[in-house]
Amino acid sequence: MNQTKYIFVTGGVTSSLGKGIIAASLAKLLQARGYRTTIQKFDPYINVDPGTLNPYEHGECYVTDDGAETDLDLGHYERFLNVPTSQANNVTTGRVYLSVIEKERRGEFLGKTVQVVPHITNEIKERMQLLGNTGDFDIVITEIGGTVGDIESLPYIESVRQLVWELGENNGIVIHLTLVPFLAAAGELKTKPTQHSVKTLMESGIKADILVCRTEHELSDELRHKLALFCNVKREAVIQSIDASTIYEVPNLMLEEGLDIVALKKLNLPKKAAPDLKNWNTFLHRLKNPKHTVTIGLIGKYVELQDSYKSILEAFIHAGAANETKVNVVSIHSEFVDVDNVAERLAGLDGILVAPGFGERGVEGKIEAVRYARENNLPFFGICLGMQMAVIEYARTVLGFKDANSSEMNPATSYPVIDLMEEQKGVTNKGGTMRLGAWKCTIAPNTLAHRIYGSITISERHRHRYEFNGAYLEQLENAGLKASGVNPDTGLVEIIELENHPFFIGVQYHPEYKSTVANPHPLFVNFVAAMVKNKKPIVK
């Protein structure tokens, strides 16, 4: 069996430079050359996973098929590679320490003093090689979260140093992503922050093999030579990563810079055929040359931070390209929507998406937005809590259940049309205890959902504790709200929809997690198509 090769991506100077996008772009190029490639993310925070984090803290929590609550970068990996990730693709410091402490409690260390080196670093190294040891991948790219020099990142940096040494020459390389800032006062790009960052990495015993430099301006040959000389890398290994209009341009930019060729050379691997990016570039062409424009209102309560709804925003990009339509997303804070201003707040929109979330803050605004969309034939799409709000709105307005609610928001409601799932009632721990991961759904024929999916059996990813209360199903269906998708094993209502409406559908699951460049999610594609069709012509 060929030995799996490893690429480690570290970051310097500042956070949020886009390590995940560089890792995903390189993986895309290697995959397009015929190499089986995967990416994993190691996060230096002590949470066991991001499942208990507020979206304001760390952006959205991404969920995999096997139910892992992970970092949002795994969403980028899947969107670029069109290959599912898993529990093994995201590891946190909390998970590492929890595992080591549990081993210590079981006596597995035979009375030894348990220390950061070697016990924590050994645990990290084992997890770094987990995917490589399956035999499923030729190349494993590992993104190290945080910035070189951070105290919390030190065990990861030491683990990379040890592992590169243990793997031997040409089997493990390090890509260091840094910032080359432009100082307006001096009118020039400055290399000193990158030099210091590389020096910090070298103090930890790691030599960068490739330098990827984030920049707003083109790097001159002179500047590249200077970076190569003072950062101790080959001139060809100084890669420019200039700001792009969309993250989906980055693979092409990295191809022009030769990042994949340099990496393969360092790993002593053949170039194989030139990368096949035909489908990728067709997507890019459609994205950049739209024939229509629609404006969507994203009704949520974490709208101040765009990363809170990262997968939804990316799914709209995929669906927009599929429809040759530019999708403008307007964020609307649900806390500031009410019966008096809803018409004004939603004016000029071609459709609304009511976003997922937890807790009662802002839910009345979501309910009001659903009512307006339903009564005014405005295309509506509800995800998770958004679907639940549609059920509550219908129960209140159409059935006349005035205090209908979710027992999450009002435990004393007379009509708990949304209620805590039976298996959740004894749960006290918050982390990793929701209904998570891929679950089956059976779709009723001759429904909007059936037309969208073209199938009666689907699998979608979940992340919720509360569900449609089946006790009210008959009354709601008799009143016109159709349950068009149910879980075949539990009877859980997965999809609700309305007939005689341009587009009105709510889903209990999270379709945004499965939308990729290669496979835009059909719900988003059809939602955008419905808005294009329903859009009123502008009267001149």
Side-chain angles (χ1 to χ4, degrees):
M1 186 179 81
N2 292 335
Q3 181 173 354
T4 302
K5 307 276 188 169
Y6 292 85
I7 299 173
F8 300 96
V9 181
T10 61
V13 181
T14 179
S15 59
S16 301
L17 287 181
K19 289 192 299 293
I21 301 300
I22 292 297
S25 297
L26 175 57
K28 181 72 207 169
L29 295 177
L30 295 171
Q31 182 193 58
R33 284 185 183 273
Y35 286 100
R36 299 171 304 157
T37 310
T38 190
I39 323 173
Q40 54 189 4
K41 173 85 183 281
F42 281 67
D43 274 307
Y45 49 77
I46 296 174
N47 304 66
V48 172
D49 58 45
T52 56
L53 286 172
N54 185 306
Y56 287 137
E57 289 284 321
H58 210 69
E60 78 170 6
C61 174
Y62 187 79
V63 177
T64 59
D65 276 338
D66 66 349
E69 293 178 290
T70 71
D71 184 81
L72 60 80
D73 272 320
L74 268 71
H76 290 311
Y77 305 163
E78 289 201 13
R79 287 189 280 274
F80 275 58
L81 296 181
N82 199 40
V83 175
T85 53
S86 70
Q87 193 89 42
N89 291 76
N90 192 202
V91 178
T92 66
T93 292
R95 192 173 292 282
V96 168
Y97 273 80
L98 184 64
S99 175
V100 170
I101 289 166
E102 285 172 345
K103 287 177 181 176
E104 185 273 331
R105 293 288 81 188
R106 292 194 297 268
E108 289 185 23
F109 296 118
L110 305 176
K112 294 273 189 189
T113 303
V114 180
Q115 297 174 291
V116 174
V117 181
H119 301 97
I120 295 297
T121 50
N122 283 349
E123 181 78 20
I124 292 170
K125 285 188 294 181
E126 273 180 36
R127 289 171 180 265
M128 283 177 170
Q129 295 174 91
L130 208 57
L131 289 165
N133 289 339
T134 62
D136 294 334
F137 302 104
D138 304 310
I139 300 170
V140 175
I141 299 176
T142 304
E143 178 191 346
I144 306 295
T147 309
V148 168
D150 295 346
I151 289 172
E152 56 264 37
S153 294
L154 287 173
Y156 292 109
I157 297 299
E158 170 59 15
S159 300
V160 171
R161 183 197 69 77
Q162 291 183 20
L163 193 50
V164 169
W165 183 83
E166 289 167 8
L167 289 167
E169 202 171 350
N170 305 126
N171 290 321
I173 63 169
V174 175
I175 296 175
H176 192 53
L177 177 65
T178 76
L179 178 69
V180 179
F182 180 80
L183 289 190
E188 61 181 355
L189 291 162
K190 290 293 184 184
T191 65
K192 194 62 75 175
T194 293
Q195 291 179 48
H196 280 298
S197 182
V198 170
K199 183 182 176 188
T200 302
L201 196 60
M202 291 183 78
E203 284 170 355
S204 299
I206 295 176
K207 177 189 176 299
D209 296 285
I210 300 172
L211 209 55
V212 177
C213 304
R214 276 300 305 274
T215 175
E216 296 173 10
H217 301 272
E218 295 278 344
L219 299 181
S220 65
D221 282 341
E222 182 187 357
L223 214 62
R224 290 180 189 240
H225 179 78
K226 184 178 180 182
L227 283 163
L229 180 64
F230 291 117
C231 297
N232 200 27
V233 298
K234 293 271 179 69
R235 166 66 181 75
E236 66 190 31
V238 177
I239 305 292
Q240 169 184 285
S241 177
I242 200 158
D243 290 355
S245 60
T246 166
I247 59 171
Y248 299 108
E249 284 182 338
V250 178
N252 281 323
L253 295 175
M254 293 302 100
L255 180 64
E256 286 171 22
E257 287 287 307
L259 175 59
D260 55 329
I261 290 173
V262 176
L264 289 170
K265 188 176 174 183
K266 298 259 179 203
L267 293 169
N268 198 25
L269 289 170
K271 293 179 196 174
K272 292 192 177 181
D276 178 7
L277 295 174
K278 185 183 173 192
N279 292 340
W280 187 272
N281 287 324
T282 299
F283 157 78
L284 262 181
H285 178 77
R286 293 168 74 99
L287 179 64
K288 291 180 174 182
N289 298 280
K291 294 176 180 173
H292 317 280
T293 303
V294 294
T295 302
I296 292 169
L298 193 158
I299 320 291
K301 63 178 184 178
Y302 307 115
V303 295
E304 296 91 340
L305 182 68
Q306 288 289 289
D307 277 358
S308 301
Y309 303 113
K310 191 66 181 170
S311 291
I312 290 173
L313 296 175
E314 297 305 317
F316 275 130
I317 291 173
H318 309 153
N323 284 285
E324 296 183 277
T325 298
K326 180 175 173 53
V327 179
N328 295 316
V329 180
V330 177
S331 295
I332 298 171
H333 204 305
S334 58
E335 261 192 294
F336 308 122
V337 176
D338 57 43
V339 67
D340 297 320
N341 68 15
V342 65
E344 179 192 346
R345 292 270 177 174
L346 305 190
L349 297 177
D350 299 308
I352 65 164
L353 182 143
V354 177
F358 296 92
E360 64 179 312
R361 181 172 66 88
V363 298
E364 290 301 324
K366 289 185 175 184
I367 292 168
E368 204 48 54
V370 175
R371 182 191 64 76
Y372 181 88
R374 183 178 60 79
E375 293 179 349
N376 291 277
N377 285 328
L378 189 65
F380 161 81
F381 185 13
I383 295 177
C384 198
L385 184 68
M387 172 264 210
Q388 296 176 1
M389 296 300 101
V391 173
I392 293 167
E393 187 279 323
Y394 208 80
R396 286 183 185 179
T397 312
V398 179
L399 284 176
F401 298 167
K402 294 302 178 192
D403 80 328
N405 214 325
S406 166
S407 56
E408 179 186 10
M409 319 307 169
N410 177 13
T413 175
S414 311
Y415 302 99
V417 290
I418 304 296
D419 201 7
L420 188 63
M421 302 176 73
E422 199 57 43
E423 64 263 33
Q424 290 287 319
K425 290 184 176 171
V427 172
T428 52
N429 280 2
K430 297 296 181 198
T433 55
M434 285 184 268
R435 175 184 282 260
L436 291 165
W439 293 78
K440 285 196 174 95
C441 172
T442 301
I443 297 176
N446 304 316
T447 57
L448 174 60
H450 185 240
R451 288 194 297 276
I452 287 170
Y453 279 99
S455 173
I456 58 166
T457 305
I458 61 167
S459 172
E460 292 280 6
R461 299 177 191 178
H462 292 65
R463 186 174 185 252
H464 64 107
R465 294 184 195 281
Y466 290 79
E467 66 170 312
F468 185 113
N469 187 343
Y472 295 93
L473 177 58
E474 190 177 345
Q475 288 166 284
L476 284 161
E477 285 213 307
N478 287 341
L481 189 72
K482 185 164 184 62
S484 56
V486 297
N487 180 284
D489 302 315
T490 64
L492 168 70
V493 173
E494 299 271 16
I495 309 172
I496 57 104
E497 61 180 66
L498 282 180
E499 293 177 342
N500 305 317
H501 192 283
F503 189 96
F504 192 102
I505 197 163
V507 297
Q508 181 57 73
Y509 47 82
H510 289 261
E512 69 273 23
Y513 292 148
K514 289 183 75 170
S515 187
T516 69
V517 169
N519 287 308
H521 197 286
L523 276 167
F524 284 88
V525 172
N526 281 268
F527 181 42
V528 172
M531 283 184 285
V532 172
K533 184 180 177 184
N534 193 59
K535 192 177 170 80
K536 294 174 178 64
I538 296 169
V539 180
K540 293 185 179 177

